[in-house]
Amino acid sequence: MSTRSASVERTTRETQIKICLDLDGRGQSKLETGLPFFEHMLDQVARHGMLDLDIEAKGDLEIDAHHTVEDVGIVLGQAFAKAIGDKQGIKRYGHAYVPLDEALSRVVVDFSGRPGLEFRVSFPRARVGDFDVDLTHEFFQGFVNHAGVTLHVDNISGDNSHHIAETVFKAFGRALRMASSLDDRLEGEIPSTKGSL
C-alpha cells in the first residue's frame, strides 16, 4: 500500500463495516457487502478511480439494504479523508462525463473541507435487480458528510436505470481520481479558499 492509504472500521447496531483504501492503486477491488449490484457499482469506482478498495460489510439485509449502503458511504468517506490527509499537493477539483449507450452523467468534486451534495438523478424504475436505486443518494450523502467534499452528481440523459447508475458511479470514480491526484507543481502546498479549506 502507498502512503496515501487508510483502513477504517465502523460498528453499529445495524452494520459492521471495514474498508481498506489505497488512492495510488491499480483499480483492484475485493468487495463483500451481500448486495451484488452495489458491489458492481463499487467495482466501477475502484476501476475508474484507479484506487484499490477492499470492503467487508455485514448489515441487517433481512430488513433492507439502507443501513448497509449508507454506512459503506460513511466509512468510504472516512477512509478518503484519512488517506488524503492535509491535502498537500492534490489538484483538489475533479470532474468527469461518462456515457453508456443512451445514458450520460456528470460528476464534479471539490476536496473543499465543506460537505455538500447536489444530486440530480432520476431513475425510470425503482429497482435494478434487488437493489433499490433510491439508496444511491444515501451512499453519496454518507460519503460527502464524512469525506468533507462538495459533490455534484447530474444525470444528463438516460432511460435505463442500470445504465444511469453505472455512468454515475464511473464518473464518480474518475472525478475522485482527478481531484485526489498529485500535481508536482503543487508540492508542499495545501489548496485553500481564502486561507482555509
Side-chain angles (χ1 to χ4, degrees), residues 10-185:
R10 181 175 189 264
T11 299
T12 69
R13 286 171 45 183
E14 296 85 16
T15 62
Q16 299 87 45
I17 313 285
K18 179 181 180 182
I19 293 183
C20 296
L21 168 70
D22 187 346
L23 296 180
D24 302 311
R26 300 179 58 87
Q28 299 174 341
S29 66
K30 182 180 177 185
L31 307 165
E32 296 177 21
T33 68
L35 299 165
F37 182 74
F38 186 43
E39 291 173 10
H40 178 45
M41 295 300 99
L42 293 169
D43 180 61
Q44 301 309 311
V45 176
R47 287 173 184 268
H48 287 266
M50 284 304 289
L51 48 93
D52 291 344
L53 186 59
D54 288 357
I55 299 178
E56 295 177 30
K58 294 179 182 176
D60 54 354
L61 297 181
E62 70 280 2
I63 297 173
D64 70 8
H66 186 286
H67 295 134
T68 302
V69 173
E70 180 181 28
D71 287 4
V72 166
I74 288 169
V75 180
L76 184 60
Q78 291 171 339
F80 255 89
K82 188 174 177 182
I84 287 282
D86 66 4
K87 306 181 181 76
Q88 193 173 108
I90 67 165
K91 293 182 178 176
R92 177 178 165 176
Y93 297 100
H95 63 273
Y97 285 82
V98 170
L100 175 59
D101 296 344
E102 87 299 343
L104 174 66
S105 295
R106 173 184 61 219
V107 174
V108 183
V109 64
D110 174 11
F111 278 90
S112 60
R114 296 183 303 276
L117 175 64
E118 293 293 329
F119 187 83
R120 299 178 191 91
V121 180
S122 296
F123 293 98
R125 66 177 198 251
R127 304 186 86 79
V128 175
D130 292 331
F131 187 77
D132 178 357
V133 293
D134 283 347
L135 298 181
T136 306
H137 178 273
E138 303 308 317
F139 168 80
F140 286 114
Q141 189 69 68
F143 178 84
V144 301
N145 287 348
H146 293 268
V149 301
T150 301
L151 185 67
H152 287 249
V153 181
D154 296 279
N155 174 243
I156 296 166
S157 64
D159 50 37
N160 178 305
S161 291
H162 186 137
H163 292 172
I164 291 169
E166 193 159 333
T167 58
V168 163
F169 278 89
K170 286 178 177 178
F172 177 58
R174 288 186 170 267
L176 288 175
R177 178 179 174 184
M178 180 187 291
S180 65
S181 65
L182 297 170
D183 187 330
D184 292 341
R185 294 167 296 175

